[in-house]
């Protein structure tokens, strides 16, 4: 029969064995949080080689050049080590700084795409570290990973990390909560005052939707995410003195006045254009010019012939001219009698006149465009311009409705707004015209070489309007962000979202929405369909000016 001492010894051995098994199991099933490692398993890089087993670190393998180090700060999620193992092993490297302000929660996986190089200092949510095999190069985005062989010989104490007096480096691994709070406040202040650089490079491979990649800067800011204050600050200092490509530039102030100078007696005509026998008699400066509409007539009495021509240009100036000559010797310009009168481009109208124009034409034009939605048919040839042109011509079916100003090149009535954007939307200028306070249903929009983000489009998505020109019918009222006045400066972004019906060759009529705060490049115009008689003072274009027409001018 065993003695009491034997039973006591067996009990002590069983307790020691059970404790050792529990310790070994806990050590084998404990992992270090990812935030306290220097390897990101989602980066695609291979895992760093594991450290040598602690059992191999003994007196024969431990380097003798360095003095023994004190234990590192405790890791709360790591298992406790025995005192003998702790005293005989090399201290592990301090953990890297936390990737987020919350302790204990691992950060989300990094994006699959190639991240842009962050500026100094890095944002707290975008820092990413991958341990190199040797001493890491210096980086502006934050502290490098700490490798044991490069760790300074410092003595740290739990809860009170201290930097060596001879070094001015920050111990990123042991920042106190107060230091972290100060550091993050510096970051907030930095990014609040951060201004993106103006130099850009385009065409980088892998960009989404043709977005612009800023060089040596954070990821590109899409127009859809630009702060409103940024847009208005750019526009607020702009003058209304800017020019657009339409209508075409003139020498004397209007296209009609330029042609009136051509009819001056001192101007020599190179040919007897007025004696054309193969078609209408067109002055040479107008041959091939599509930015106008005209009509001609002639009268002959004996050997005397008179040619009449009336022209409306895209700037809505109107010209009337005559050439009287002898058919017996038409080449003799000394006997040719010329005359020319013109009306300059009309001015802006007051609110009530523009509202009346909308009530007369706007709803019908909008319904005309919407009638093609879902029909599976194009309007006319299927060109974008046809929706506006055919919509204005539609009123010829109603003799009680005054004829509206026709579509002349890219002009469709009274100009309500014009503007442009450049430099990826960072620069916007615009000008309001007339006394109305909003864009109305049935107005007509013109675009030229425009790049714009669509409302609800995917990140980086955009639309290109105009090759070089594009026409749309606006089918919903659009109220600007502030009440405009005639001639006032207004950014396209202040117009907000416009809803249109449009078509193009290969694309059936469709309803689209364009957010003008995403207007990046190009020019735009918005017109109000209006009566010719009300706006231009003539009910139609004729070869001779109407009798009693007021406002006619001549050289």
């Amino acid at each position: 029969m065993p003695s009491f001492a034997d039973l006591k010894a067996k009990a002590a051995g069983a307790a020691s064995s059970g404790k050792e098994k529990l310790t070994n199991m806990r050590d084998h099933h404990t992992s270090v949080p990812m935030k306290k490692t220097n390897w990101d398993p989602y980066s695609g890089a291979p895992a760093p080689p594991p450290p040598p087993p602690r059992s191999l670190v003994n007196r024969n393998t431990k380097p003798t050049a360095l003095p023994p180090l004190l234990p590192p700060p405790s890791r709360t999620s790591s298992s406790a080590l025995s005192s003998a193992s702790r005293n005989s092993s090399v201290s592990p490297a301090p953990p890297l700084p936390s990737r987020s302000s919350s302790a204990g929660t691992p950060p989300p996986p990094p994006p699959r795409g190639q991240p842009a190089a962050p500026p100094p200092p890095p944002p707290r949510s975008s820092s990413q570290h991958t341990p190199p095999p040797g001493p890491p190069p210096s980086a502006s985005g934050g502290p490098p990973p700490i490798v044991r062989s490069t760790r300074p010989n410092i003595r740290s104490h739990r809860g009170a990390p201290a930097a060596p007096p001879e070094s001015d480096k920050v111990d990123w691994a042991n920042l106190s909560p107060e230091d972290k709070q100060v550091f993050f406040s510096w970051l907030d202040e930095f990014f609040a005052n951060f201004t993106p650089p103006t130099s850009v490079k385009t065409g980088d491979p892998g960009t989404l939707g043709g977005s612009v990649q800023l060089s040596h800067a954070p990821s590109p800011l899409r127009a859809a995410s630009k702060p409103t204050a940024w847009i208005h600050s750019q526009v607020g200092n702009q003058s209304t003195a800017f020019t657009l490509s339409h209508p075409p530039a003139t020498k004397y102030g209007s296209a009609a006045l330029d042609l009136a100078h051509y009819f001056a007696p001192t101007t020599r005509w190179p040919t007897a254009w007025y004696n054309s026998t193969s078609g209408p008699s067109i002055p040479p400066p107008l041959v091939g010019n599509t930015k106008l509409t005209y009509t001609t007539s002639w009268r002959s009495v004996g050997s005397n012939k008179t040619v009449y021509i009336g022209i409306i240009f895209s700037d809505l100036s109107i010209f009337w001219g005559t050439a009287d000559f002898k058919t017996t010797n038409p080449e003799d310009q000394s006997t040719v009698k010329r005359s020319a009168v013109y009306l300059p481009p009309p001015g802006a109208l007051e609110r009530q006149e523009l509202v009346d124009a909308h009530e007369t034409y706007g709803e019908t034009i909008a319904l005309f465009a919407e009638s093609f939605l879902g029909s599976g048919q194009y309007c006319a040839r299927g060109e974008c311009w046809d929706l506006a042109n055919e919509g204005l011509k539609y009123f010829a079916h109603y003799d009680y409705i005054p004829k509206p100003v026709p579509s002349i090149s890219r002009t469709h009535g009274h100009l309500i707004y014009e503007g442009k954007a450049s430099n990826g939307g960072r620069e916007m200028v615009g000008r309001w015209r007339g006394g109305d306070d909003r864009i109305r249903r049935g107005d007509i929009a013109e675009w030229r070489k425009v790049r714009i983000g669509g409302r609800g489009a995917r990140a980086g998505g955009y639309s290109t309007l105009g090759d070089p020109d594009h026409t749309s019918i606006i089918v919903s009222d659009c109220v600007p962000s502030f009440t405009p006045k005639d001639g006032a400066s207004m950014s396209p972004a202040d117009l907000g979202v416009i809803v249109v019906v449009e078509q193009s060759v290969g694309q059936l009529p469709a309803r689209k929405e364009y957010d003008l705060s995403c207007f990046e490049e190009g020019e735009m115009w918005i017109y109000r369909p209006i009566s010719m008689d009300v706006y231009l003072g003539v009910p139609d274009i004729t070869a001779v000016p109407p009798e009693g027409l007021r406002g006619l001018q001549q050289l």
Side-chain angles (χ1 to χ4, degrees):
M1 183 174 181
S3 64
F4 178 78
D6 294 336
L7 293 176
K8 184 178 180 180
K10 288 183 179 182
S16 177
S17 176
K19 181 179 180 180
E20 183 179 357
K21 290 181 180 180
L22 178 61
T23 301
N24 291 339
M25 180 177 295
R26 181 176 55 187
D27 290 343
H28 292 163
H29 293 275
T30 301
S31 61
V32 179
M34 189 171 65
K35 69 175 184 177
K36 294 188 177 182
T37 67
N38 58 2
W39 174 62
D40 185 354
Y42 301 102
S43 64
R54 294 182 181 272
S55 59
L56 298 180
V57 181
N58 52 40
R59 295 180 180 180
N60 297 327
T61 61
K62 185 186 299 183
T64 57
L66 294 177
L69 300 176
L70 291 179
S74 64
R75 302 186 182 187
T76 56
S77 60
S78 299
S79 60
L81 301 177
S82 64
S83 60
S85 175
R86 185 183 300 132
N87 292 334
S88 62
S89 63
V90 178
S91 301
L96 291 176
S98 174
R99 299 184 183 181
S100 63
S101 58
S102 62
T105 303
R112 294 176 179 271
Q114 182 67 25
R124 71 184 71 174
S125 60
S126 62
S127 62
Q128 181 172 343
H129 304 279
T130 301
S138 61
S140 59
I146 300 176
V147 182
R148 294 186 182 185
S149 59
T150 62
R151 187 182 59 192
N153 185 18
I154 59 175
R155 295 178 178 271
S156 58
H157 298 275
R158 184 178 304 176
E166 67 276 8
S167 174
D168 58 354
K169 294 183 179 180
V170 178
D171 186 3
W172 295 95
N174 297 295
L175 289 177
S176 66
E178 293 78 8
D179 292 337
K180 291 180 181 178
Q181 186 65 31
V182 173
F183 176 69
F184 289 138
S185 66
W186 290 346
L187 287 178
D188 294 338
E189 180 180 358
F190 171 79
F191 286 105
N193 300 321
F194 177 71
T195 302
T198 57
S199 61
V200 299
K201 58 180 182 178
T202 59
D204 289 344
T207 55
L208 178 61
S211 61
V212 176
Q213 182 75 24
L214 298 176
S215 58
H216 306 293
S219 300
L221 293 175
R222 299 188 304 275
S225 63
K226 286 186 301 188
T228 306
W230 181 10
I231 297 174
H232 287 292
S233 64
Q234 293 288 339
V235 177
N237 298 326
Q238 297 289 344
S239 169
T240 56
F242 64 93
T243 58
L244 299 178
S245 60
H246 177 81
T250 59
K251 184 177 181 180
Y252 296 103
S254 72
L257 183 53
D258 284 1
L259 188 58
H261 278 272
Y262 185 79
F263 273 70
T266 56
T267 303
R268 176 173 175 79
W269 291 344
T271 62
W273 61 268
Y274 41 84
N275 191 37
S276 174
T277 58
S278 59
S281 298
I282 304 298
L286 304 184
V287 175
N289 188 345
T290 60
K291 297 174 174 55
L292 52 86
T293 182
Y294 70 92
T295 183
T296 63
S297 66
W298 58 273
R299 185 182 65 176
S300 181
V301 178
S303 61
N304 291 333
K305 184 177 181 179
T306 304
V307 174
Y308 305 89
I309 184 170
I311 307 171
I312 299 181
F313 294 92
S314 59
D315 63 356
L316 299 185
S317 63
I318 307 177
F319 171 87
W320 290 277
T322 65
D324 186 273
F325 61 96
K326 296 287 186 178
T327 57
T328 56
N329 189 13
E331 301 294 334
D332 185 5
Q333 294 190 20
S334 63
T335 63
V336 178
K337 296 179 181 178
R338 317 174 186 182
S339 70
V341 293
Y342 68 95
L343 287 175
L349 298 183
E350 298 296 332
R351 181 180 186 277
Q352 190 56 52
E353 294 170 298
L354 292 174
V355 172
D356 290 344
H358 160 72
E359 293 175 349
T360 302
Y361 303 100
E363 185 64 24
T364 300
I365 291 177
L367 289 173
F368 177 82
E370 290 175 332
S371 67
F372 291 92
L373 296 177
S375 67
Q377 297 180 351
Y378 292 102
C379 174
R381 304 165 299 167
E383 296 285 351
C384 59
W385 186 78
D386 291 341
L387 271 178
N389 182 52
E390 297 298 324
L392 292 170
K393 289 166 59 177
Y394 184 72
F395 292 96
H397 298 289
Y398 306 96
D399 56 3
Y400 58 91
I401 300 294
K403 181 178 180 178
V405 175
S407 293
I408 306 174
S409 180
R410 297 296 162 177
T411 300
H412 308 280
H414 185 292
L415 180 65
I416 295 294
Y417 178 80
E418 59 182 348
K420 65 179 181 179
S422 58
N423 196 17
R426 294 176 181 84
E427 297 176 6
M428 290 190 188
V429 292
R431 178 170 46 233
W432 190 265
R433 193 166 187 264
D436 203 355
D437 61 350
R438 68 195 62 193
I439 297 168
R440 298 183 183 271
R441 177 174 161 86
D443 289 351
I444 300 173
E446 274 293 330
W447 317 87
R448 175 162 292 174
K449 297 181 179 179
V450 165
R451 173 184 168 122
I452 187 173
R455 189 181 188 190
R458 63 182 175 84
Y462 62 89
S463 299
T464 300
L465 307 179
D467 186 21
D469 298 303
H470 184 67
T471 309
S472 306
I473 306 298
I474 297 174
V475 294
S476 180
D477 288 5
C478 177
V479 181
S481 60
F482 62 91
T483 302
K485 295 182 179 180
D486 179 36
S489 176
M490 176 178 286
S491 164
D494 292 319
L495 300 180
V497 177
I498 62 173
V499 185
V500 302
V501 170
E502 60 187 16
Q503 69 174 13
S504 60
V505 176
Q507 177 184 311
L508 289 169
R511 183 185 181 97
K512 299 288 183 64
E513 296 185 7
Y514 296 113
D515 187 349
L516 294 181
S517 66
C518 304
F519 189 22
E520 300 178 7
E521 302 288 340
E523 301 172 305
M524 64 173 295
W525 301 262
I526 297 177
Y527 293 95
R528 174 71 48 82
I530 193 170
S531 164
M532 284 189 66
D533 200 9
V534 170
Y535 194 37
L536 304 182
V538 295
D540 202 351
I541 180 62
T542 56
V544 295
E547 292 185 7
L549 179 62
R550 301 176 60 183
L552 277 178
Q553 301 182 24
Q554 60 184 2
L555 294 179

